Amino acid sequence: MTDRRRPDPNQTAAAPVTGFARAADMIARAAARPAEEAPEAASAAPQPPVLDVESMPWWQEAGPVRRSAPGLDEASGRVVRPAPEGSPENGTAKPHYHGHRQRLRDRLLERGADALADYELLELLIAAAIPRGDVKPIAKRLLQTFGSLGGVLHAEPARLKAVEGVGPAVLAQIKLAEGLKIRSMREEVIDRPLFASWQALMDYLMADLGHLRVEQFRVLFLDRKNRLIADEVQQQGTVDHTPVYAREVVKRALEHAASSLILVHNHPSGDPTPSPADIDLTRRLVEAARHLGISVHDHIIIGRRSYKSFKALGLL
């Protein structure tokens, strides 16, 4: 018979070996093993990269704190909170002119154009051509070069483009503003009795001719009620001389069926005082028009900031 002995109650049964126990035993043995016994394992462990700050390109420089992982300070090993948006620490500091344009727009809408300086008005004009960046230096250079807002608006394109920062887009904005200004002022006098809106006429002529650098001769053609029929440039010359032919002026008056004329020209020198040549030209034009029943009401000379009237001077 088989000897079946009863188990000794004083003897403790061995615990079964589980997979977890085996893994724990292997980890303990590996930890107790000297480093020299596992050179390959030690070398296989990933090493943090060494950053050569001196040879890094400027766009990879991240400031005084280097991070090997998001939110981790490599030097101390501590988790740090990200710097707030717009702070110098994360390289996104807002420029000094941030919000400047909006503040100008708000002031313009709330208080009108008189609340803005000349260069600030130019800033808003140029901002339509340069959506981003600080345009204040361009506006100030334009005013310094041409002396005034009117000088900027009426400057020749070639001179405008010579100013640093003025490209085709900015040039187009300036010429657009000039065109809008002149056209709106012309609407105040066209097809209206000129002697009832004489100051509006002078303002229009000063705006259109006062800043020209070459001499221009124009004729305003009037109907029987002294309403403006047409405003035409007859001749344009050099800095101080424009050839005007009386026969051509009278011919255009007949084509417009005009009853009277107002002669206008500018002096690029800025001084509107009539010269002997101006007086002689006026005499010849008056005589040629008189033979065809056309009268010459006045001859206006436009200077830089003022004008002279032949009638007011007693020369007509």
Side-chain angles (χ1 to χ4, degrees):
M1 291 179 65
T2 305
D3 184 13
R4 296 185 178 179
R5 299 180 181 178
R6 294 182 180 180
D8 186 354
N10 296 324
Q11 185 177 0
T12 304
V17 180
T18 64
F20 179 79
R22 291 196 198 94
D25 182 62
M26 292 176 65
I27 293 173
R29 290 175 180 273
R33 184 184 304 171
E36 59 271 12
E37 294 183 9
E40 295 182 1
S43 61
Q47 301 294 322
V50 178
L51 299 178
D52 184 3
V53 179
E54 297 297 325
S55 62
M56 290 177 67
W58 62 268
W59 63 83
Q60 292 183 0
E61 296 178 5
V65 177
R66 295 284 177 176
R67 293 178 173 88
S68 58
L72 181 64
D73 186 341
E74 187 177 278
S76 63
R78 296 178 180 177
V79 176
V80 295
R81 294 181 180 273
E85 183 68 22
S87 65
E89 287 80 1
N90 65 6
T92 60
K94 295 178 181 179
H96 66 89
Y97 52 82
H98 181 77
H100 177 61
R101 293 182 184 181
Q102 189 58 51
R103 290 191 292 272
L104 290 182
R105 293 189 187 102
D106 293 342
R107 204 188 327 157
L108 175 67
L109 295 176
E110 293 171 5
R111 299 163 54 191
D114 288 341
L116 275 67
D118 288 353
Y119 74 88
E120 291 175 323
L121 290 173
L122 269 180
E123 281 187 74
L124 286 179
L125 179 66
I126 297 171
I130 304 177
R132 294 178 179 82
D134 185 8
V135 298
K136 184 187 295 185
I138 303 175
K140 290 190 172 183
R141 279 195 294 270
L142 284 167
L143 285 174
Q144 184 178 11
T145 302
F146 299 105
S148 65
L149 277 176
V152 174
L153 295 182
H154 298 287
E156 292 88 346
R159 296 187 68 210
L160 286 169
K161 288 190 290 187
V163 177
E164 182 184 354
V166 177
V170 173
L171 178 61
Q173 282 297 115
I174 294 174
K175 292 291 106 180
L176 172 63
E178 178 196 23
L180 290 173
K181 173 186 175 183
I182 297 301
R183 188 166 298 186
S184 65
M185 298 181 77
R186 183 185 299 150
E187 289 176 352
E188 295 297 317
V189 297
I190 195 73
D191 200 29
R192 298 184 183 184
L194 290 188
F195 298 109
S197 55
W198 186 255
Q199 190 56 52
L201 175 63
M202 293 301 103
D203 291 343
Y204 161 61
L205 294 174
M206 287 290 296
D208 206 11
L209 293 171
H211 299 277
L212 293 182
R213 293 168 61 85
V214 296
E215 193 168 294
Q216 186 181 97
F217 187 88
R218 296 164 69 159
V219 180
L220 308 182
F221 300 94
L222 312 179
D223 64 10
R224 293 184 181 277
K225 295 183 179 180
N226 292 322
R227 292 179 302 187
L228 182 62
I229 301 172
D231 170 17
E232 293 185 352
V233 176
Q234 295 299 309
Q235 299 288 338
Q236 185 161 297
T238 59
V239 173
D240 58 357
H241 178 67
T242 300
V244 179
Y245 302 98
R247 180 175 59 186
E248 293 299 320
V249 173
V250 173
K251 178 182 176 182
R252 290 298 294 161
L254 293 174
E255 292 173 352
H256 284 297
S259 298
S260 57
L261 311 173
I262 295 179
L263 311 176
V264 184
H265 82 280
N266 66 303
H267 281 178
S269 66
D271 180 7
T273 303
S275 67
D278 295 334
I279 296 172
D280 181 63
L281 169 65
T282 305
R283 180 187 58 78
R284 288 187 286 110
L285 284 170
V286 169
E287 186 68 18
R290 183 177 63 81
H291 287 294
L292 297 173
I294 300 171
S295 62
V296 177
H297 282 312
D298 207 342
H299 186 169
I300 307 296
I301 300 180
I302 303 295
R304 185 74 63 188
R305 293 180 174 84
S306 62
Y307 64 90
K308 296 290 186 181
S309 162
F310 271 52
K311 181 168 285 188
L313 294 172
L315 298 175
L316 189 61

